[in-house]
Amino acid sequence: MATADGRGDGIHIGSVHGAFAIGDHNTVTHHEGGGAPVPDPAQEELLRAVRELRDDLARVVRSPQVAALSTELAGTETEIADTGAAGPGRLARLRTALADAGSVAGLLASGAAVGQAVAALVGG
């Protein structure tokens, strides 16, 4: 709310919530963040494949490689949900974890799907 100052002139702005403009001929656009970012189609495909592989890995014998892959899958899912995309570093770690757990992940169709989705995002 704007009010005159103690001398009777000028403007004092107590608090502002949202967006505002001062002066003539201004345009203000304000967007409130309210939902999770919407990933692009390639990221959506990766997210779907990551979720499927996580479900499949819950049914296999745990090994250090499977545990590491599960950790990277969980991190990938969280990163896509939070930011809308898995970054290059995350994709590189996921690719490494897939290769390390290759004997298990290679037997699962969902493992192949994650590998293909990662390859599509990193270009090969």
Side-chain angles (χ1 to χ4, degrees), residues 1 13-22 27-33:
M1 177 171 159
I13 300 174
S15 63
V16 175
H17 300 280
F20 71 95
I22 297 174
T27 301
V28 176
T29 303
H30 177 71
H31 300 281
E32 288 284 330

Side-chain angles (χ1 to χ4, degrees), residues 3 12 18-19 28 30 32 42 46 55 60 62 68 77 79 99 112 118 122:
T3 59
H12 169 77
V28 176
H30 177 71
E32 288 284 330
L46 175 60
D55 289 344
V60 302
R62 297 294 276 188
E77 184 175 357
E79 188 170 327
V118 169
V122 296

Side-chain angles (χ1 to χ4, degrees), residues 43 56 77 87 90 121:
Q43 294 285 341
D56 289 344
E77 184 175 357
R90 174 68 65 189
L121 287 165

Side-chain angles (χ1 to χ4, degrees), residues 17-124:
H17 300 280
F20 71 95
I22 297 174
D24 295 334
H25 311 293
N26 288 308
T27 301
V28 176
T29 303
H30 177 71
H31 300 281
E32 288 284 330
V38 178
D40 70 36
Q43 294 285 341
E44 287 179 357
E45 178 60 26
L46 175 60
L47 182 58
R48 184 197 59 72
V50 160
R51 288 176 174 158
E52 283 184 29
L53 182 53
R54 286 187 73 197
D55 289 344
D56 289 344
L57 287 179
R59 295 182 285 275
V60 302
V61 176
R62 297 294 276 188
S63 69
Q65 295 82 8
V66 170
L69 177 56
S70 293
T71 298
E72 284 304 323
L73 291 168
T76 301
E77 184 175 357
T78 299
E79 188 170 327
I80 294 171
D82 290 349
T83 67
R90 174 68 65 189
L91 294 172
R93 289 190 306 275
L94 180 56
R95 182 179 256 183
T96 299
L98 278 167
D100 291 347
S103 62
V104 173
L107 296 174
L108 303 169
S110 56
V114 170
Q116 291 170 351
V118 169
L121 287 165
V122 296

